[in-house]
Amino acid sequence: MQKHWWQEVVVYQIYPRSFKDSNGDGIGDILGIIEKLDYLEKLGIGAIWLSPVYASPNDDNGYDISDYEAIMEEFGTMADVERLIAEADKRHIKIVMDLVVNHTSDEHAWFVEAKKSKDNDYRDYYVWADPAEDGGVPNDLRSTFSGSAWAYDEESQQYYLHLFSKKQPDLNWQNEKVRQEVYDMMNRWIDKGIGGFRMDVIDLIGKVPEESITGNGPRLHEFIHEMNRATFGDKNLLTVGETWGATPEIAKEYSDPKREELGMVFQFEHSGLDQIDGKDKWDLRPLQVKELKEVFSKWQNELGTEGWNSLFWNNHDLPRIVSRWGNDTTYRIQSAKALAILLHMMKGTPYIYQGEEIGMVNTPITDISQASDIETVNMYNERLEEGYSKEEVLASINTKGRDNARRPMQWDDTENAGFTTGTPWLALNDRYHEINVKNALSDHDSIFYTYQKLVQLRKNHPLMVWGDYNLLETVDEVFSYTRSYEGETWLVVVNFSDDPHPFSSNLPIEEIIIQNSETSLKTIKEMVLAPWQAFVVRIANK
Ligand code: NOJ
């Protein structure tokens, strides 16, 4: 299999609104990101996934785009973005743009036209349907942000489809003109020297709404293949598809190099393990480490050379991992490092979400007025109407809500954590005096340096990128596996819990690669792992 740069790097995700504000308006911006490139270079990452920076009315914080080729005023200008690409390049960092083409904003010029009349040239850029016989919605499709996926347009007396908010009408990918517009736009971005695309809910573009099909529609792969041929196919760019509900089989359809579609998938099977089966993300159950091992191992083993996966705990849609599955009080540092070691030692391209590298934690709220995210607010209202108690719903929000990841980045312990000199658009987490970049950089034992070391190890050891994976048998709470490559073997051992647990192996240790505690590890036979203890050792060749 041909090897690519995007299989060997670590990607860092930036949510621009919350990263760094350079002009005191309380909103992160492009110049703020440029200021922090040296920091990211120090971490060692090879690419930045930049959440959307395009013009947007911000109904869904930039995932509702009104112009794909203009920059959101609060974030800066196109010249700033071009400078960001150039400055990042000097530091060997590529900029991966978020491509949100399942839908636009309702303020996009195409939709403004489309709404004008049924025979407008742009009408068919979107998905329209007549009311059902009773005058109601065409069918039961639901929006991810609560309620029906259909919104009524009084003027034309038709409904349009929005799988997300009403202000995010779905594009009609069956229309060849839409596809061509998107490809042309992508090519203009490629010409600016970007490093690739992260493709928002790309699994939805093959939808057939009249048959209630949304994900994995019949023409999905035809469209992606066509996009590949028309745009990035011969450019060696990083392309990653957000592919909810992918199985390893489906992942190969997207990412088998022979099929000329995408470089890799970004799938969420592990991330669904703390929700009740068949319910949605707000219906919680405790994580079973045993299931986590099964899911990760399945993905490690089944892609072979016919697909490529992303490795992540966090992004802008997920709660902070150290609060979710680690321990954000007694074992914050230990568990954050353990989680990092566990993930980064696997096969795939690792992603670090801003703040993860310093162990940022969730920000619980006590009243819905403290929330900003449209998904959270809509769900809250819907569930209260359905009879849930306020406490129950807030508990779900505090465990899973997207604002947890979107609180401003904590740079230092000055007012507003050095994120802004103005009033932050969203209140900060109040633990920023303790958890911030300045503290992390001045402490050689910090979470930051564990991440830095993991990134460095990946650069120096092809084993981490290409090695075979093998899960070891252990007690449920201990997650242990080996990676082997060209005669070398590394053993990874992580106690995924707040309690001590036994571990034993006869494998002879040659060298400690990385660990999160100061132990000599002379022998690992019949040892007791401390809570969240994690280590990686090289096994002696016999
Ligand atoms: C997935 C994005 O990650 C999320 O933030 C967004 O709300 C939806 N897609 C809609 O674009």
Side-chain angles (χ1 to χ4, degrees):
M1 190 164 99
Q2 204 194 333
K3 296 178 177 173
H4 298 281
W5 67 270
W6 42 263
Q7 293 171 299
E8 299 179 351
V9 293
V10 174
V11 181
Y12 187 89
Q13 185 193 351
I14 291 183
Y15 195 69
R17 201 170 190 78
S18 300
F19 192 61
K20 170 71 185 152
D21 173 21
S22 73
N23 63 357
D25 65 357
I27 296 172
D29 47 42
I30 308 292
L31 294 184
I33 300 174
I34 295 174
E35 267 178 46
K36 296 299 181 186
L37 285 174
D38 290 340
Y39 167 71
L40 297 177
E41 185 181 24
K42 186 173 171 114
L43 182 56
I45 52 115
I48 291 172
W49 154 18
L50 194 61
S51 272
V53 293
Y54 317 96
S56 162
N58 280 310
D59 194 47
D60 185 20
N61 284 353
Y63 283 90
D64 49 320
I65 297 168
S66 52
D67 185 343
Y68 292 104
E69 291 171 74
I71 302 305
M72 195 184 306
E73 272 176 35
E74 297 156 329
F75 289 178
T77 62
M78 187 59 91
D80 294 341
V81 172
E82 284 162 0
R83 219 184 108 208
L84 172 63
I85 296 169
E87 287 295 323
D89 198 57
K90 285 186 198 158
R91 295 162 178 87
H92 311 288
I93 296 172
K94 297 190 201 283
I95 301 291
V96 174
M97 300 298 284
D98 214 315
L99 183 78
V100 188
V101 290
N102 173 65
H103 45 268
T104 67
S105 161
D106 64 341
E107 297 180 34
H108 193 288
W110 299 338
F111 193 72
V112 173
E113 281 299 309
K115 258 186 84 163
K116 285 184 178 162
S117 70
K118 281 189 183 168
D119 54 14
N120 187 283
D121 286 351
Y122 288 88
R123 185 76 175 180
D124 199 33
Y125 272 43
Y126 295 87
V127 182
W128 298 90
D130 289 328
E133 271 172 21
D134 64 359
V137 291
N139 62 26
D140 321 325
L141 282 179
R142 305 252 319 149
S143 154
T144 304
F145 297 159
S146 303
S148 169
W150 297 99
Y152 193 55
D153 172 48
E154 289 286 345
E155 202 132 332
S156 62
Q157 301 189 0
Q158 277 195 317
Y159 285 89
Y160 66 85
L161 181 75
H162 61 91
L163 294 174
F164 296 89
S165 100
K166 278 195 180 57
K167 285 183 68 63
Q168 291 166 298
D170 275 62
L171 282 167
N172 174 16
W173 273 75
Q174 310 288 333
N175 181 344
E176 206 185 312
K177 281 199 212 143
V178 168
R179 306 203 299 272
Q180 198 54 53
E181 294 256 24
V182 170
Y183 306 155
D184 291 347
M185 173 272 286
M186 289 171 71
N187 282 329
R188 289 189 289 271
W189 274 105
I190 291 173
D191 289 345
K192 290 187 189 290
I194 61 168
F197 296 105
R198 173 268 179 182
M199 303 187 183
D200 191 69
V201 288
I202 203 67
D203 55 322
L204 299 180
I205 63 173
K207 68 194 132 248
V208 187
E210 53 282 17
E211 290 171 31
S212 293
I213 297 174
T214 54
N216 297 318
R219 296 182 69 193
L220 173 65
H221 294 284
E222 173 197 332
F223 295 159
I224 299 178
H225 175 72
E226 180 185 82
M227 176 195 279
N228 170 306
R229 296 291 82 204
T231 63
F232 55 80
D234 55 0
K235 304 269 184 336
N236 199 16
L237 298 184
L238 184 161
T239 51
V240 51
E242 187 194 22
T243 55
W244 286 87
T247 59
E249 278 316 303
I250 294 177
K252 289 182 195 172
E253 293 183 30
Y254 288 109
S255 63
D256 182 344
K258 289 197 290 295
R259 294 174 51 92
E260 300 177 321
E261 293 191 18
L262 304 180
M264 67 181 112
V265 296
F266 197 93
Q267 57 73 32
F268 294 79
E269 189 171 354
H270 61 291
S271 191
L273 292 176
D274 56 6
Q275 78 190 43
I276 299 173
D277 273 347
K279 297 262 198 147
D280 68 28
K281 76 180 221 185
W282 307 108
D283 301 301
L284 313 170
R285 67 175 170 112
L287 172 76
Q288 306 286 331
V289 180
K290 191 167 179 269
E291 291 182 355
L292 187 73
K293 289 195 256 186
E294 280 163 15
V295 168
F296 270 130
S297 300
K298 176 174 80 181
W299 280 92
Q300 290 293 300
N301 291 326
E302 288 186 17
L303 290 183
T305 55
E306 295 164 1
W308 195 256
N309 196 9
S310 306
L311 302 170
F312 65 94
W313 291 125
N314 275 112
N315 73 9
H316 64 294
D317 294 330
L318 301 173
R320 292 282 176 187
I321 194 62
V322 71
S323 300
R324 184 185 193 183
W325 291 345
N327 176 324
D328 65 8
T329 54
T330 329
Y331 300 113
R332 186 182 70 88
I333 293 174
Q334 286 299 90
S335 66
K337 291 179 181 175
L339 289 162
I341 291 170
L342 179 65
L343 191 76
H344 281 245
M345 283 294 155
M346 289 192 204
K347 186 172 186 173
T349 298
Y351 287 68
I352 302 172
Y353 177 69
Q354 65 186 42
E356 178 184 336
E357 76 281 14
I358 56 167
M360 279 175 60
V361 300
N362 278 354
T363 307
I365 58 171
T366 51
D367 189 87
I368 194 66
S369 59
Q370 297 153 0
S372 156
D373 172 31
I374 181 170
E375 180 190 46
T376 296
V377 174
N378 288 0
M379 181 282 290
Y380 177 86
N381 293 330
E382 184 176 72
R383 290 213 161 179
L384 285 199
E385 257 171 50
E386 287 169 1
Y388 287 77
S389 73
K390 188 175 151 183
E391 291 66 37
E392 268 173 297
V393 184
L394 286 177
S396 295
I397 293 172
N398 289 336
T399 314
K400 286 288 199 65
R402 304 196 299 180
D403 286 331
N404 284 306
R406 300 174 180 190
R407 301 275 161 189
M409 180 74 182
Q410 296 158 201
W411 294 105
D412 58 36
D413 59 1
T414 63
E415 205 186 345
N416 293 321
F419 163 68
T420 181
T421 53
T423 308
W425 73 277
L426 183 64
L428 282 104
N429 182 291
D430 58 16
R431 288 176 69 185
Y432 73 78
H433 296 280
E434 163 206 355
I435 306 170
N436 62 62
V437 168
K438 191 166 165 242
N439 279 352
L441 292 179
S442 63
D443 170 6
H444 281 282
D445 218 16
S446 71
I447 300 165
F448 176 89
Y449 290 109
T450 293
Y451 273 92
Q452 186 192 50
K453 184 156 186 194
L454 287 165
V455 175
Q456 202 53 48
L457 284 168
R458 185 165 284 260
K459 285 184 188 164
N460 297 338
H461 297 276
L463 173 147
M464 269 175 87
V465 182
W466 307 111
D468 290 335
Y469 170 96
N470 186 30
L471 181 72
L472 300 194
E473 249 191 75
T474 53
V475 298
D476 285 351
E477 293 78 6
V478 174
F479 197 151
S480 173
Y481 57 90
T482 55
R483 299 288 308 279
S484 313
Y485 186 69
E486 296 187 338
E488 185 170 331
T489 297
W490 289 8
L491 169 70
V492 181
V493 180
V494 176
N495 177 1
F496 204 112
S497 90
D498 290 348
D499 303 306
H501 283 289
F503 175 80
S504 187
S505 166
N506 289 325
L507 293 169
I509 298 174
E510 180 83 16
E511 179 195 355
I512 299 175
I513 303 288
I514 187 170
Q515 62 173 335
N516 67 350
S517 46
E518 288 297 311
T519 33
S520 66
L521 292 176
K522 289 234 158 41
T523 165
I524 51 174
K525 199 170 155 56
E526 287 170 23
M527 71 184 295
V528 176
L529 298 167
W532 294 104
Q533 183 174 351
F535 59 82
V536 181
V537 289
R538 184 159 63 84
I539 301 304
N541 277 333
K542 271 175 273 169

